[in-house]
Amino acid sequence: MAETGTSPLPPTPLADTALARAERFVWLTARVLEQRLFAYHFRDGDADPVEAALDAYRNEDGGYGHALEPDLRGPVSRPQHIAHALRVLDAVGRCGGQRAERVCRYLTAVSTAQGALPAVLPGQDGFPAAPRAGGPRGELLVTGPVVGLLHRNGVWHAWLFRATDFCWQAVESLRVTHPDEVEAAVTFLDAVPDRPRAREVADRLGRLVRERRLAVLDPDGPGADPLPRGDAPGGRRLPHDYAPFPGSLARAWFTDQEMARSLDFLAAEQREDGGWPARRPEWTPAAVLEARPRVTLDALRVLRAYGRPVG
């Protein structure tokens, strides 16, 4: 009999499915936050434990820190942590009310006059961050996902009007871009209220992605990038990276055959330990270790969204 006051461990999965292998990987390696997200998405878990785990990363200024985004170490609040926090809250249906108000107050305080969010705030150079984390200027890379997720959840705030105008200008002016910017733009375009304008801009962006060969359309073909999430200019993504669910505007950029190959590749990427690879430069081992459970959850959710069996 278990001792009083202790929590029983989850039963060991018996089925040899992608989900069962991933579950074992999550329980062996993930932070509490990702463990509770897994339970919410795949084991009928409640949203309250997820939100409680996320609160451990929240600071008094309304922002988030403490390596919530694994590539940004240290306790200080950074805008990129906000994007991660909003993804979590959105996933469990808690991205609204006082939570959103606190977040928007923080964003108002750290944004530029145009409403743009910098990747790194001035005076935070003393805390470690991945070289790819960006600089102090306002960037679509940070602002697009935050604005998109707030719109997706029906949040309205004075800061959001300015930030939306910034994102429109940034997205519509994209000519030579990087996959990270494309993903940020898609998150914005998938949720911004002006749908006709979003579809028009998304069509142009999709043509740019294909012209610049920013997507690996045949991952098993000759010359395909074996690690399509490369960070150098010209690094590429797979179709499912741009369109992680069928309703995304980016889904129209790819044929059914191209998307099927992309999903086949994603399913086959599951490693022997049950997790998916982080596909990012390893600047510190901790960041990769902490990123893999989140990447694993994302992979399972993408496959499920497209009707692929996971277990």
Side-chain angles (χ1 to χ4, degrees), residues 164-290:
T164 300
D165 288 342
F166 166 81
C167 288
W168 275 126
Q169 182 179 14
V171 172
E172 290 177 333
S173 64
L174 287 176
R175 294 295 182 270
V176 179
T177 186
H178 184 278
D180 287 339
E181 282 191 316
V182 176
E183 288 186 358
V186 170
T187 304
F188 169 73
L189 293 171
D190 275 342
V192 69
D194 190 340
R195 302 314 299 154
R197 186 178 180 184
R199 284 190 289 271
E200 181 180 349
V201 175
D203 287 345
R204 185 188 64 79
L205 188 58
R207 290 193 296 272
L208 181 65
V209 165
R210 296 186 76 95
E211 290 168 3
R212 300 286 179 179
R213 301 184 65 188
L214 297 180
V216 179
L217 302 178
D218 185 2
D220 295 321
D225 187 345
L227 295 174
R229 194 176 283 277
D231 292 292
R236 296 184 290 173
R237 300 286 194 274
L238 293 163
H240 71 263
D241 290 314
Y242 295 122
F245 59 96
S248 172
L249 291 174
R251 174 62 185 88
W253 301 351
F254 308 105
T255 67
D256 290 346
Q257 185 180 39
E258 289 166 349
M259 184 57 71
R261 285 196 296 255
S262 178
L263 295 170
D264 289 343
F265 183 87
L266 176 63
E269 270 200 308
Q270 188 176 25
R271 297 296 186 251
E272 187 175 346
D273 62 8
W276 267 258
R279 290 198 278 136
R280 62 174 65 195
E282 185 172 339
W283 71 281
T284 182
V288 175
L289 290 172
E290 291 175 0

Side-chain angles (χ1 to χ4, degrees), residues 32-57:
V32 172
L33 177 60
E34 283 75 29
Q35 290 177 356
R36 291 180 174 179
L37 277 169
F38 183 93
Y40 176 85
H41 288 301
F42 299 103
R43 292 291 180 250
D44 296 322
D46 192 75
D48 287 342
V50 177
E51 191 171 2
L54 181 63
D55 278 345
Y57 297 90

Side-chain angles (χ1 to χ4, degrees), residues 99-124:
R99 302 171 192 85
E101 180 65 29
R102 285 196 304 262
V103 165
C104 287
R105 285 200 298 267
Y106 168 78
L107 296 173
T108 301
V110 301
S111 66
T112 68
Q114 293 74 35
L117 298 172
V120 179
L121 299 174
Q124 295 184 345

